Amino acid sequence: MSSTNKEKQRREIVTKAVCGRGRKFSEATHTVTPSHKMVTILGAWVINHTYRADKVGEIVEVSGTYEINIWYSYNNNTETTVLKETVKFVDVVPLSYYDHNCRGDVEVTARVTQEPNCVEAKVKPGGGIVVTVEREYAVEVIGETKLCVFVCDLCDDDDKDDIFIDEFEELDDFTDLDPDTFLD
């Protein structure tokens, strides 16, 4: 198909792009029960964190596990042990931006912006331990989208350099900017 106006042609480019983005901070409390009559909590931490992300409708679910370790004393503060508890979780991450024009199969990526971390562990009346864990994830949905660009067939290779250099020289003032600070 030929164009009647040779100076202004357009092309459609199909490419993969970020079609959705979201972030979620969450705090969860877990109750664990030690096998001994506990006297003092000596430490609490979270290890062995694994997760995956899946798109469900217009949200992303980040699901996974982590292990809570609590070091405590018992037997009148004469002995210590570490209690290990594996916890499953599901965080629903709403998308602050989502382009419905995304086509084909989508790919979902998640990255941890704050690893699961024990922020508090306290003795519960009745003998259990209440552990508060916080975590944060940033997710992106990547899919196919279409871009439309204009093509200039009349330019020489030398002319193309002049056109783009002149227009983009002014943008050097913005090279220090971090694009992530403007998103969300």
Side-chain angles (χ1 to χ4, degrees), residues 35-52:
S35 55
H36 304 91
K37 186 169 175 12
M38 183 196 62
V39 177
T40 307
I41 298 173
L42 302 171
W45 60 95
V46 177
I47 62 172
N48 297 330
H49 172 229
T50 61
Y51 65 95
R52 63 172 285 152

Side-chain angles (χ1 to χ4, degrees), residues 64-152:
T65 62
Y66 49 80
E67 186 177 290
I68 298 173
N69 289 297
I70 301 172
W71 180 34
Y72 67 94
S73 68
Y74 63 99
N75 199 11
N76 242 5
N77 280 333
T78 60
E79 297 182 60
T80 67
T81 192
V82 176
L83 168 67
K84 297 177 183 182
E85 181 93 16
T86 300
V87 175
K88 293 182 181 180
F89 69 90
V90 176
D91 282 338
V92 175
V93 182
L95 296 174
S96 58
Y97 162 74
Y98 184 65
D99 182 0
H100 292 281
N101 295 317
C102 221
R103 18 190 259 183
D105 293 332
V106 295
E107 174 187 336
V108 178
T109 63
R111 106 184 125 79
V112 178
T113 54
Q114 181 176 332
E115 286 286 340
N117 182 37
C118 178
V119 291
E120 184 180 39
K122 60 184 177 182
V123 179
K124 176 181 167 185
I129 301 171
V130 177
V131 180
T132 304
V133 175
E134 62 184 17
R135 57 189 180 264
E136 184 177 39
Y137 300 93
V139 299
E140 290 183 337
V141 177
I142 300 166
E144 279 189 359
T145 190
K146 191 185 293 188
L147 304 174
C148 183
V149 296
F150 287 100
V151 178
C152 177

